[in-house]
Amino acid sequence: MRHTRRQVLRFGAASVLSALFAKDATRARAAGERPPRLVLLMQANGTSQANFWPDATNFTSRILEPLLSQPRLAARTSVVKGIFNHSVGAGGQHDIGFAGMFTGRGTVGTFTDPWGGGPSVDQILAPSLTGQVPFPTLNCGVLALDGALFKDHRGSFSYLAERVPVPTEIDPVRLWTRLFSTASSPAEAQRRLLQHKSVLDFGTDDLARMSGRLGREEREKLDVHTTAIREYEQRLAMLAARTPSATCAPGKPGAIDPHLEANVPALLPTMLDLVALALGCDLARIVTFPIGNAAVNWRYDWLGIGKNSHDDIAHHDDGKTPEITDYVVKIGRWHAEHVARLALALDAIPEGDKTVLDNTLIVWANELATGPHSLDGIPVVLVGGAGGRLRPAGFVDVGAQTHHRIGCTILNVMGTPSEGFGEESACGPIRGIDLTVQ
Amino acid sequence: MKRLFAIVLGCAAAAACKEGDVAEPTATRVAKLCASADAPPLTRANQRVRRLADVELDAVLSDLAGEPVVVSSSLIPDPRADGYDNDATALVVSGPKLESYLDAIEPLLDKIVAHAPCATRDCLARAIAPRAFGRPITDEEVAKLGSVFDAGGARLVVEAILLSPSTLYRSEIGAADGQLDDFEIASQLSFFLTGSRPDDALYAAATRGELHDPKVVRAHAERLLDTPRARQQMRRFAIGWLELGRLAGARRGIEYPKFTPEAHAAMTEELGRFVEHTLFDGDGTFEALLTSDVTYPDPALAPIYGNDALDAPAGDVAVRVDASKRKGILSLPAFLTGHATRDGTNPVDRGLFVRTRLLCAQIGPPPRAALAMPVDVLSDKTTTTRQKFEKHGTDPVCATCHSLLDPVGFGFEKFDAIGAFRDTENGQPVDDTGVLTDTDVAGPFAGPAQLADKLATSVDAKVCFVSQLARFADGRAEDDVCRFQELTTSFSESGGRIRDLLLAWVTRRDFFRRKVSP
């Protein structure tokens, strides 16, 4: 059986939810509140367990120090210890961890060709956001590989449906063009809307005709197309009606080869800054962001490491080789610095009497727990006020809990209460994290 | 190298790599399976639509524009599934894809209007749509496109047609009983053999209702196989089969000065020429693909070939290679580079390729709780790659899996990460003896040329090749090997002629119908 986002929010359910959402959003605006934003960041290759988890009294650690040394961020952070992923699936642990974390499902396919087993949480939420914001979801990241992607299943953890990943935008210029160029100006949006309306209507009719002659699974594939058309039209309509603001018209980033590893130090902050603006300008609500592909093998020359981070570092981090562990710590700190950068950028954008960070939940996850492929004790860090729907907990050892609870927590924070997630129908949110509704 | 470590970890599971106690040769396993009560139900593809791969859209648009146009490079790329660019499930029109269609197609509209035989209201739609859709346009569609014309003129009509699902997908829906109609059969045939919509002759045959006759289909297939696009299509199949979609992004460090941008580009071109000439101008056999002793390298590859090339590389000209070292497709720099890393060779990856894509052996998944086995850091400059990897063989836990993989990959060790021959590595002599096990051509060999000789006579390898071709033709991974037994038999009996295999594929009963699905 295939799992798609339409199956989750099927037919009537989807429109009912979306109506509820619209009402919720109206109420929130009236009360001066803003809708919650969500960012899912994925790091590869696990971490050093001994150096990641904070000291409970001082709330800091070697790896997390760049994030937790910022008082405004530390006050809005939960470091959640105890998450495991025991899903069964195709491929190796990298694949199961990468594609499974936010789908809550084991991978499907074969050992050499494993794919996500169902829709990821961002895509499950997407239909309910259609019509509220120009880009309900964005999937972008840094996949500079200095080589071809070994297997395409390792470049995206956002899934529309089983075996159908959302493509990851890796070029900052293209991302900027999509979000901020004249293509998004009200006049241009209006022009495109007028021009494309009849074109797309013709296509929608054709899709309906085809769908009517197909079985359920095939119809779901065409549903993706129909949804894409509807979302595009609604986006143009929204952009056409927007008042342009100087803050939300950043300059075009310089062209940079998104495939070259040497460019990672420039690519990552550029992409994260665009993400922060997209959220701050309410162009997008949910962002999924791979920091490198699954099992990324960057050499981190910019950190003075110069070794293959997957082959020669992560895999050898047995906890008994200080030289190797030091590399893992450096890499972890570098990730923490960038998570902090994103959080601070969001915190710099005021929203009512709060900041965008107050209304955002950043989930910084990892495909693995440790370099040698353990999936027990996956590092999970939650940053941001989540619109007051999640109480920051500092360091919290929640005991062994399945990763499905993260997806379930996200669904609850984003306003679609759910008892389960993915293949777990009744796991509930993470125990030990206080979900509050203000 | 990523795959290497997936396997390294997999080694911790005794027997995880073998399905059962003994790994059986593929042909034996398939024959047993299909004769048993556990035989999988014969599952032809469902009634479905398949979105065009980007290169297929290029071909359709080029026909409409009357000149070669390329939109594929500006579209959001699709994931390759199992190495292939045309997986029926993976290809969808997501939001980003839709937007990239809109942006990429807009600059072509004027060109296509200009190339149309007429640009007036209904005439334009009637001229262009059938070529884009691969079927006649209905009166209702003409009327709708008339309104589009009234709203925005000829350009907009073309845009509506090009972005229409009837253009972007190929229909395999058929009648209520799953029987495909003539136009669907025509498109299926032309997309399989030429990567595009039907040409005029095939379209006309569909109009006349002739395509339910396998003999007529076969005649058209023979004709299409003589076109340049059929050659391109087999190049494309080879890229998928050899998992070389990744080659374009290959990078090498300064320790590989021969890996110039020109040499890099020339590798892919050489592979393409090799496939074309071997299949269309030479024997056209599976054996020739594996064991041919000529190839077609550009001068840019001369430094990599060195003395292995017995004639001077000169582009699209046959060059003999030293057959004691190199033979066929597995000795091409494209293959050897695509199955290596930026730092060195990867015996596990090369071995895994031979196992899974040339012999279709089933490799089980690694265990969840496996831990990495310590291996030497690969940058160690005192040992050979083989010496580093041989630890797998001495550790009984690792050996369970790696005994199937590494000894095959070791056989390629005299070819470095860019496909150049080497006798020594880090000052040590290179040992390229290898062993194949659990297959009908089990036994020792040294170097890819001897391996190729073995594989060329293997029934397992032919069974596997048929299933790879089916994967490409059908765009799906379902393991329905039992349906291919007959094809495999006729393929073997024809002496492994690939043209015969293609013709057999398009005249099978299942080519004409789809499974009715709820």
Side-chain angles (χ1 to χ4, degrees), chain A residues 40-41 137-143 155-158 166-172 175 178-179 271-272 274-275 278 286-291:
Chain A
L40 306 179
L41 301 170
T137 64
L138 271 184
N139 182 38
C140 55
V142 179
L143 300 174
S156 173
F157 63 84
S158 172
V166 179
T168 304
E169 180 57 78
I170 60 169
D171 183 346
L175 180 63
R178 243 184 122 201
L179 290 168
M271 293 295 272
L272 289 174
L274 289 171
V275 163
I286 300 180
V287 177
T288 42
F289 194 110
I291 306 173

PDB file of all heavy atoms in Angstrom, chain A residues 40-41 137-143 155-158 166-172 175 178-179 271-272 274-275 278 286-291:
ATOM      1  N   LEU A  40      12.834  22.310   9.420  1.00  0.00           N
ATOM      2  CA  LEU A  40      13.419  21.001   9.725  1.00  0.00           C
ATOM      3  C   LEU A  40      14.806  20.942   9.111  1.00  0.00           C
ATOM      4  O   LEU A  40      14.956  21.004   7.891  1.00  0.00           O
ATOM      5  CB  LEU A  40      12.534  19.880   9.151  1.00  0.00           C
ATOM      6  CG  LEU A  40      11.063  19.918   9.565  1.00  0.00           C
ATOM      7  CD1 LEU A  40      10.291  18.770   8.904  1.00  0.00           C
ATOM      8  CD2 LEU A  40      10.920  19.851  11.075  1.00  0.00           C
ATOM      9  N   LEU A  41      15.810  20.873   9.967  1.00  0.00           N
ATOM     10  CA  LEU A  41      17.202  20.820   9.512  1.00  0.00           C
ATOM     11  C   LEU A  41      17.731  19.413   9.733  1.00  0.00           C
ATOM     12  O   LEU A  41      17.529  18.842  10.800  1.00  0.00           O
ATOM     13  CB  LEU A  41      18.075  21.788  10.314  1.00  0.00           C
ATOM     14  CG  LEU A  41      17.714  23.274  10.294  1.00  0.00           C
ATOM     15  CD1 LEU A  41      18.536  24.016  11.348  1.00  0.00           C
ATOM     16  CD2 LEU A  41      17.977  23.867   8.920  1.00  0.00           C
ATOM     17  N   THR A 137       5.316  25.207   1.629  1.00  0.00           N
ATOM     18  CA  THR A 137       6.540  24.485   2.002  1.00  0.00           C
ATOM     19  C   THR A 137       7.650  24.833   1.021  1.00  0.00           C
ATOM     20  O   THR A 137       7.394  25.128  -0.145  1.00  0.00           O
ATOM     21  CB  THR A 137       6.340  22.957   1.967  1.00  0.00           C
ATOM     22  OG1 THR A 137       6.057  22.560   0.633  1.00  0.00           O
ATOM     23  CG2 THR A 137       5.215  22.517   2.874  1.00  0.00           C
ATOM     24  N   LEU A 138       8.859  24.795   1.530  1.00  0.00           N
ATOM     25  CA  LEU A 138      10.046  24.976   0.686  1.00  0.00           C
ATOM     26  C   LEU A 138      11.010  23.863   1.050  1.00  0.00           C
ATOM     27  O   LEU A 138      11.244  23.615   2.233  1.00  0.00           O
ATOM     28  CB  LEU A 138      10.757  26.281   1.027  1.00  0.00           C
ATOM     29  CG  LEU A 138      10.411  27.587   0.351  1.00  0.00           C
ATOM     30  CD1 LEU A 138      11.396  28.646   0.866  1.00  0.00           C
ATOM     31  CD2 LEU A 138      10.482  27.491  -1.152  1.00  0.00           C
ATOM     32  N   ASN A 139      11.583  23.217   0.042  1.00  0.00           N
ATOM     33  CA  ASN A 139      12.620  22.232   0.318  1.00  0.00           C
ATOM     34  C   ASN A 139      13.905  22.705  -0.339  1.00  0.00           C
ATOM     35  O   ASN A 139      14.016  22.704  -1.563  1.00  0.00           O
ATOM     36  CB  ASN A 139      12.219  20.853  -0.216  1.00  0.00           C
ATOM     37  CG  ASN A 139      13.259  19.797   0.113  1.00  0.00           C
ATOM     38  OD1 ASN A 139      13.835  19.813   1.198  1.00  0.00           O
ATOM     39  ND2 ASN A 139      13.512  18.896  -0.820  1.00  0.00           N
ATOM     40  N   CYS A 140      14.834  23.186   0.468  1.00  0.00           N
ATOM     41  CA  CYS A 140      16.080  23.694  -0.073  1.00  0.00           C
ATOM     42  C   CYS A 140      17.197  23.283   0.863  1.00  0.00           C
ATOM     43  O   CYS A 140      16.943  22.842   1.988  1.00  0.00           O
ATOM     44  CB  CYS A 140      16.023  25.209  -0.229  1.00  0.00           C
ATOM     45  SG  CYS A 140      15.601  26.083   1.287  1.00  0.00           S
ATOM     46  N   GLY A 141      18.404  23.413   0.410  1.00  0.00           N
ATOM     47  CA  GLY A 141      19.499  22.996   1.267  1.00  0.00           C
ATOM     48  C   GLY A 141      20.833  23.125   0.580  1.00  0.00           C
ATOM     49  O   GLY A 141      20.957  23.795  -0.449  1.00  0.00           O
ATOM     50  N   VAL A 142      21.828  22.471   1.159  1.00  0.00           N
ATOM     51  CA  VAL A 142      23.174  22.491   0.594  1.00  0.00           C
ATOM     52  C   VAL A 142      23.570  21.044   0.318  1.00  0.00           C
ATOM     53  O   VAL A 142      23.637  20.226   1.236  1.00  0.00           O
ATOM     54  CB  VAL A 142      24.174  23.152   1.565  1.00  0.00           C
ATOM     55  CG1 VAL A 142      25.571  23.151   0.964  1.00  0.00           C
ATOM     56  CG2 VAL A 142      23.734  24.576   1.879  1.00  0.00           C
ATOM     57  N   LEU A 143      23.766  20.751  -0.948  1.00  0.00           N
ATOM     58  CA  LEU A 143      24.158  19.392  -1.345  1.00  0.00           C
ATOM     59  C   LEU A 143      25.404  19.461  -2.209  1.00  0.00           C
ATOM     60  O   LEU A 143      25.513  18.765  -3.201  1.00  0.00           O
ATOM     61  CB  LEU A 143      23.030  18.706  -2.125  1.00  0.00           C
ATOM     62  CG  LEU A 143      21.686  18.519  -1.437  1.00  0.00           C
ATOM     63  CD1 LEU A 143      20.665  17.947  -2.426  1.00  0.00           C
ATOM     64  CD2 LEU A 143      21.811  17.582  -0.253  1.00  0.00           C
ATOM     65  N   GLY A 155      19.334  12.883  -1.356  1.00  0.00           N
ATOM     66  CA  GLY A 155      19.369  14.331  -1.498  1.00  0.00           C
ATOM     67  C   GLY A 155      18.142  15.056  -0.975  1.00  0.00           C
ATOM     68  O   GLY A 155      18.109  16.278  -0.996  1.00  0.00           O
ATOM     69  N   SER A 156      17.137  14.314  -0.539  1.00  0.00           N
ATOM     70  CA  SER A 156      15.922  14.968  -0.047  1.00  0.00           C
ATOM     71  C   SER A 156      15.275  14.093   1.010  1.00  0.00           C
ATOM     72  O   SER A 156      15.133  12.881   0.816  1.00  0.00           O
ATOM     73  CB  SER A 156      14.925  15.190  -1.197  1.00  0.00           C
ATOM     74  OG  SER A 156      13.692  15.665  -0.684  1.00  0.00           O
ATOM     75  N   PHE A 157      14.901  14.704   2.127  1.00  0.00           N
ATOM     76  CA  PHE A 157      14.148  13.942   3.129  1.00  0.00           C
ATOM     77  C   PHE A 157      12.693  14.386   3.175  1.00  0.00           C
ATOM     78  O   PHE A 157      11.928  13.960   4.026  1.00  0.00           O
ATOM     79  CB  PHE A 157      14.813  14.012   4.512  1.00  0.00           C
ATOM     80  CG  PHE A 157      14.892  15.404   5.108  1.00  0.00           C
ATOM     81  CD1 PHE A 157      13.821  15.946   5.810  1.00  0.00           C
ATOM     82  CD2 PHE A 157      16.038  16.171   4.957  1.00  0.00           C
ATOM     83  CE1 PHE A 157      13.892  17.222   6.354  1.00  0.00           C
ATOM     84  CE2 PHE A 157      16.126  17.446   5.498  1.00  0.00           C
ATOM     85  CZ  PHE A 157      15.046  17.981   6.200  1.00  0.00           C
ATOM     86  N   SER A 158      12.323  15.277   2.248  1.00  0.00           N
ATOM     87  CA  SER A 158      10.928  15.703   2.139  1.00  0.00           C
ATOM     88  C   SER A 158      10.244  14.844   1.084  1.00  0.00           C
ATOM     89  O   SER A 158      10.714  14.754  -0.053  1.00  0.00           O
ATOM     90  CB  SER A 158      10.880  17.181   1.736  1.00  0.00           C
ATOM     91  OG  SER A 158       9.552  17.561   1.450  1.00  0.00           O
ATOM     92  N   VAL A 166      10.417  15.305  -2.696  1.00  0.00           N
ATOM     93  CA  VAL A 166      10.340  16.667  -3.221  1.00  0.00           C
ATOM     94  C   VAL A 166      11.755  17.065  -3.628  1.00  0.00           C
ATOM     95  O   VAL A 166      12.691  16.869  -2.847  1.00  0.00           O
ATOM     96  CB  VAL A 166       9.820  17.632  -2.139  1.00  0.00           C
ATOM     97  CG1 VAL A 166       9.767  19.060  -2.668  1.00  0.00           C
ATOM     98  CG2 VAL A 166       8.471  17.188  -1.621  1.00  0.00           C
ATOM     99  N   PRO A 167      11.947  17.605  -4.826  1.00  0.00           N
ATOM    100  CA  PRO A 167      13.306  17.995  -5.204  1.00  0.00           C
ATOM    101  C   PRO A 167      13.845  19.092  -4.286  1.00  0.00           C
ATOM    102  O   PRO A 167      13.095  19.958  -3.835  1.00  0.00           O
ATOM    103  CB  PRO A 167      13.170  18.494  -6.649  1.00  0.00           C
ATOM    104  CG  PRO A 167      11.710  18.669  -6.890  1.00  0.00           C
ATOM    105  CD  PRO A 167      10.975  17.843  -5.885  1.00  0.00           C
ATOM    106  N   THR A 168      15.141  19.040  -4.026  1.00  0.00           N
ATOM    107  CA  THR A 168      15.784  20.019  -3.141  1.00  0.00           C
ATOM    108  C   THR A 168      16.424  21.133  -3.963  1.00  0.00           C
ATOM    109  O   THR A 168      17.244  20.859  -4.834  1.00  0.00           O
ATOM    110  CB  THR A 168      16.876  19.322  -2.299  1.00  0.00           C
ATOM    111  OG1 THR A 168      16.286  18.241  -1.585  1.00  0.00           O
ATOM    112  CG2 THR A 168      17.500  20.301  -1.315  1.00  0.00           C
ATOM    113  N   GLU A 169      16.027  22.373  -3.672  1.00  0.00           N
ATOM    114  CA  GLU A 169      16.652  23.508  -4.354  1.00  0.00           C
ATOM    115  C   GLU A 169      17.982  23.796  -3.683  1.00  0.00           C
ATOM    116  O   GLU A 169      18.040  24.046  -2.480  1.00  0.00           O
ATOM    117  CB  GLU A 169      15.733  24.734  -4.258  1.00  0.00           C
ATOM    118  CG  GLU A 169      16.297  25.974  -4.940  1.00  0.00           C
ATOM    119  CD  GLU A 169      16.609  25.728  -6.410  1.00  0.00           C
ATOM    120  OE1 GLU A 169      15.667  25.729  -7.233  1.00  0.00           O
ATOM    121  OE2 GLU A 169      17.796  25.534  -6.721  1.00  0.00           O
ATOM    122  N   ILE A 170      19.072  23.773  -4.462  1.00  0.00           N
ATOM    123  CA  ILE A 170      20.395  23.979  -3.861  1.00  0.00           C
ATOM    124  C   ILE A 170      21.077  25.246  -4.359  1.00  0.00           C
ATOM    125  O   ILE A 170      22.151  25.592  -3.872  1.00  0.00           O
ATOM    126  CB  ILE A 170      21.322  22.774  -4.134  1.00  0.00           C
ATOM    127  CG1 ILE A 170      21.509  22.557  -5.642  1.00  0.00           C
ATOM    128  CG2 ILE A 170      20.774  21.521  -3.471  1.00  0.00           C
ATOM    129  CD1 ILE A 170      22.614  21.546  -5.959  1.00  0.00           C
ATOM    130  N   ASP A 171      20.465  25.931  -5.315  1.00  0.00           N
ATOM    131  CA  ASP A 171      21.100  27.108  -5.905  1.00  0.00           C
ATOM    132  C   ASP A 171      20.507  28.369  -5.280  1.00  0.00           C
ATOM    133  O   ASP A 171      19.321  28.638  -5.443  1.00  0.00           O
ATOM    134  CB  ASP A 171      20.854  27.082  -7.417  1.00  0.00           C
ATOM    135  CG  ASP A 171      21.543  28.239  -8.130  1.00  0.00           C
ATOM    136  OD1 ASP A 171      21.973  29.198  -7.443  1.00  0.00           O
ATOM    137  OD2 ASP A 171      21.642  28.184  -9.358  1.00  0.00           O
ATOM    138  N   PRO A 172      21.324  29.152  -4.559  1.00  0.00           N
ATOM    139  CA  PRO A 172      20.779  30.346  -3.893  1.00  0.00           C
ATOM    140  C   PRO A 172      20.163  31.340  -4.882  1.00  0.00           C
ATOM    141  O   PRO A 172      19.164  32.001  -4.550  1.00  0.00           O
ATOM    142  CB  PRO A 172      21.978  30.974  -3.192  1.00  0.00           C
ATOM    143  CG  PRO A 172      23.086  30.014  -3.279  1.00  0.00           C
ATOM    144  CD  PRO A 172      22.749  28.962  -4.291  1.00  0.00           C
ATOM    145  N   LEU A 175      16.798  30.028  -5.762  1.00  0.00           N
ATOM    146  CA  LEU A 175      15.892  30.167  -4.617  1.00  0.00           C
ATOM    147  C   LEU A 175      15.457  31.623  -4.467  1.00  0.00           C
ATOM    148  O   LEU A 175      14.271  31.918  -4.271  1.00  0.00           O
ATOM    149  CB  LEU A 175      16.581  29.680  -3.338  1.00  0.00           C
ATOM    150  CG  LEU A 175      15.734  29.761  -2.060  1.00  0.00           C
ATOM    151  CD1 LEU A 175      14.505  28.864  -2.169  1.00  0.00           C
ATOM    152  CD2 LEU A 175      16.550  29.364  -0.831  1.00  0.00           C
ATOM    153  N   ARG A 178      12.948  32.563  -7.122  1.00  0.00           N
ATOM    154  CA  ARG A 178      11.614  32.037  -6.822  1.00  0.00           C
ATOM    155  C   ARG A 178      10.925  32.880  -5.759  1.00  0.00           C
ATOM    156  O   ARG A 178       9.743  33.164  -5.843  1.00  0.00           O
ATOM    157  CB  ARG A 178      11.742  30.608  -6.300  1.00  0.00           C
ATOM    158  CG  ARG A 178      11.079  29.590  -7.197  1.00  0.00           C
ATOM    159  CD  ARG A 178      11.149  28.216  -6.573  1.00  0.00           C
ATOM    160  NE  ARG A 178       9.795  27.697  -6.413  1.00  0.00           N
ATOM    161  CZ  ARG A 178       9.471  26.740  -5.556  1.00  0.00           C
ATOM    162  NH1 ARG A 178      10.378  26.233  -4.758  1.00  0.00           N
ATOM    163  NH2 ARG A 178       8.232  26.327  -5.478  1.00  0.00           N
ATOM    164  N   LEU A 179      11.697  33.282  -4.748  1.00  0.00           N
ATOM    165  CA  LEU A 179      11.082  33.937  -3.594  1.00  0.00           C
ATOM    166  C   LEU A 179      10.950  35.448  -3.755  1.00  0.00           C
ATOM    167  O   LEU A 179       9.946  36.032  -3.363  1.00  0.00           O
ATOM    168  CB  LEU A 179      11.914  33.659  -2.336  1.00  0.00           C
ATOM    169  CG  LEU A 179      11.906  32.241  -1.791  1.00  0.00           C
ATOM    170  CD1 LEU A 179      13.001  32.084  -0.745  1.00  0.00           C
ATOM    171  CD2 LEU A 179      10.547  31.918  -1.177  1.00  0.00           C
ATOM    172  N   MET A 271      21.984  30.459   2.000  1.00  0.00           N
ATOM    173  CA  MET A 271      20.690  29.770   1.935  1.00  0.00           C
ATOM    174  C   MET A 271      19.898  29.985   3.225  1.00  0.00           C
ATOM    175  O   MET A 271      18.686  30.230   3.194  1.00  0.00           O
ATOM    176  CB  MET A 271      20.895  28.267   1.699  1.00  0.00           C
ATOM    177  CG  MET A 271      21.479  27.893   0.356  1.00  0.00           C
ATOM    178  SD  MET A 271      20.412  28.296  -1.060  1.00  0.00           S
ATOM    179  CE  MET A 271      19.428  26.832  -1.199  1.00  0.00           C
ATOM    180  N   LEU A 272      20.580  29.910   4.364  1.00  0.00           N
ATOM    181  CA  LEU A 272      19.868  30.066   5.636  1.00  0.00           C
ATOM    182  C   LEU A 272      19.298  31.484   5.767  1.00  0.00           C
ATOM    183  O   LEU A 272      18.189  31.675   6.289  1.00  0.00           O
ATOM    184  CB  LEU A 272      20.795  29.750   6.814  1.00  0.00           C
ATOM    185  CG  LEU A 272      21.161  28.268   6.981  1.00  0.00           C
ATOM    186  CD1 LEU A 272      22.199  28.095   8.085  1.00  0.00           C
ATOM    187  CD2 LEU A 272      19.918  27.410   7.270  1.00  0.00           C
ATOM    188  N   LEU A 274      18.311  33.379   3.314  1.00  0.00           N
ATOM    189  CA  LEU A 274      17.130  33.444   2.447  1.00  0.00           C
ATOM    190  C   LEU A 274      15.941  32.757   3.124  1.00  0.00           C
ATOM    191  O   LEU A 274      14.806  33.233   3.060  1.00  0.00           O
ATOM    192  CB  LEU A 274      17.423  32.791   1.090  1.00  0.00           C
ATOM    193  CG  LEU A 274      18.366  33.561   0.156  1.00  0.00           C
ATOM    194  CD1 LEU A 274      18.738  32.710  -1.061  1.00  0.00           C
ATOM    195  CD2 LEU A 274      17.725  34.875  -0.300  1.00  0.00           C
ATOM    196  N   VAL A 275      16.220  31.653   3.785  1.00  0.00           N
ATOM    197  CA  VAL A 275      15.170  30.932   4.502  1.00  0.00           C
ATOM    198  C   VAL A 275      14.577  31.828   5.593  1.00  0.00           C
ATOM    199  O   VAL A 275      13.349  31.933   5.753  1.00  0.00           O
ATOM    200  CB  VAL A 275      15.724  29.627   5.112  1.00  0.00           C
ATOM    201  CG1 VAL A 275      14.799  29.081   6.189  1.00  0.00           C
ATOM    202  CG2 VAL A 275      15.947  28.591   4.019  1.00  0.00           C
ATOM    203  N   ALA A 278      12.397  34.366   4.041  1.00  0.00           N
ATOM    204  CA  ALA A 278      11.169  33.760   3.504  1.00  0.00           C
ATOM    205  C   ALA A 278      10.153  33.543   4.620  1.00  0.00           C
ATOM    206  O   ALA A 278       8.953  33.755   4.449  1.00  0.00           O
ATOM    207  CB  ALA A 278      11.487  32.454   2.793  1.00  0.00           C
ATOM    208  N   ILE A 286       6.820  26.486   6.065  1.00  0.00           N
ATOM    209  CA  ILE A 286       7.560  25.287   6.454  1.00  0.00           C
ATOM    210  C   ILE A 286       8.762  25.134   5.526  1.00  0.00           C
ATOM    211  O   ILE A 286       8.615  25.203   4.308  1.00  0.00           O
ATOM    212  CB  ILE A 286       6.674  24.028   6.349  1.00  0.00           C
ATOM    213  CG1 ILE A 286       5.456  24.162   7.257  1.00  0.00           C
ATOM    214  CG2 ILE A 286       7.484  22.780   6.687  1.00  0.00           C
ATOM    215  CD1 ILE A 286       4.524  22.970   7.217  1.00  0.00           C
ATOM    216  N   VAL A 287       9.919  24.953   6.117  1.00  0.00           N
ATOM    217  CA  VAL A 287      11.133  24.758   5.334  1.00  0.00           C
ATOM    218  C   VAL A 287      11.802  23.455   5.754  1.00  0.00           C
ATOM    219  O   VAL A 287      11.974  23.196   6.947  1.00  0.00           O
ATOM    220  CB  VAL A 287      12.126  25.926   5.527  1.00  0.00           C
ATOM    221  CG1 VAL A 287      13.418  25.671   4.761  1.00  0.00           C
ATOM    222  CG2 VAL A 287      11.493  27.245   5.084  1.00  0.00           C
ATOM    223  N   THR A 288      12.138  22.649   4.771  1.00  0.00           N
ATOM    224  CA  THR A 288      12.939  21.449   5.035  1.00  0.00           C
ATOM    225  C   THR A 288      14.303  21.688   4.421  1.00  0.00           C
ATOM    226  O   THR A 288      14.405  22.207   3.309  1.00  0.00           O
ATOM    227  CB  THR A 288      12.288  20.206   4.413  1.00  0.00           C
ATOM    228  OG1 THR A 288      11.797  20.536   3.112  1.00  0.00           O
ATOM    229  CG2 THR A 288      11.135  19.734   5.264  1.00  0.00           C
ATOM    230  N   PHE A 289      15.360  21.309   5.135  1.00  0.00           N
ATOM    231  CA  PHE A 289      16.683  21.784   4.746  1.00  0.00           C
ATOM    232  C   PHE A 289      17.744  20.735   5.086  1.00  0.00           C
ATOM    233  O   PHE A 289      18.178  20.619   6.226  1.00  0.00           O
ATOM    234  CB  PHE A 289      16.967  23.088   5.509  1.00  0.00           C
ATOM    235  CG  PHE A 289      18.126  23.891   4.985  1.00  0.00           C
ATOM    236  CD1 PHE A 289      17.919  25.104   4.344  1.00  0.00           C
ATOM    237  CD2 PHE A 289      19.429  23.451   5.155  1.00  0.00           C
ATOM    238  CE1 PHE A 289      18.981  25.868   3.875  1.00  0.00           C
ATOM    239  CE2 PHE A 289      20.493  24.198   4.686  1.00  0.00           C
ATOM    240  CZ  PHE A 289      20.279  25.403   4.046  1.00  0.00           C
ATOM    241  N   PRO A 290      18.190  19.965   4.079  1.00  0.00           N
ATOM    242  CA  PRO A 290      19.314  19.060   4.331  1.00  0.00           C
ATOM    243  C   PRO A 290      20.635  19.835   4.346  1.00  0.00           C
ATOM    244  O   PRO A 290      20.943  20.543   3.394  1.00  0.00           O
ATOM    245  CB  PRO A 290      19.264  18.073   3.163  1.00  0.00           C
ATOM    246  CG  PRO A 290      18.516  18.769   2.077  1.00  0.00           C
ATOM    247  CD  PRO A 290      17.634  19.805   2.719  1.00  0.00           C
ATOM    248  N   ILE A 291      21.394  19.714   5.439  1.00  0.00           N
ATOM    249  CA  ILE A 291      22.735  20.295   5.494  1.00  0.00           C
ATOM    250  C   ILE A 291      23.669  19.197   5.010  1.00  0.00           C
ATOM    251  O   ILE A 291      24.233  18.438   5.775  1.00  0.00           O
ATOM    252  CB  ILE A 291      23.084  20.747   6.925  1.00  0.00           C
ATOM    253  CG1 ILE A 291      22.014  21.690   7.465  1.00  0.00           C
ATOM    254  CG2 ILE A 291      24.456  21.439   6.947  1.00  0.00           C
ATOM    255  CD1 ILE A 291      22.185  22.045   8.939  1.00  0.00           C
TER     256      ILE A 291
END
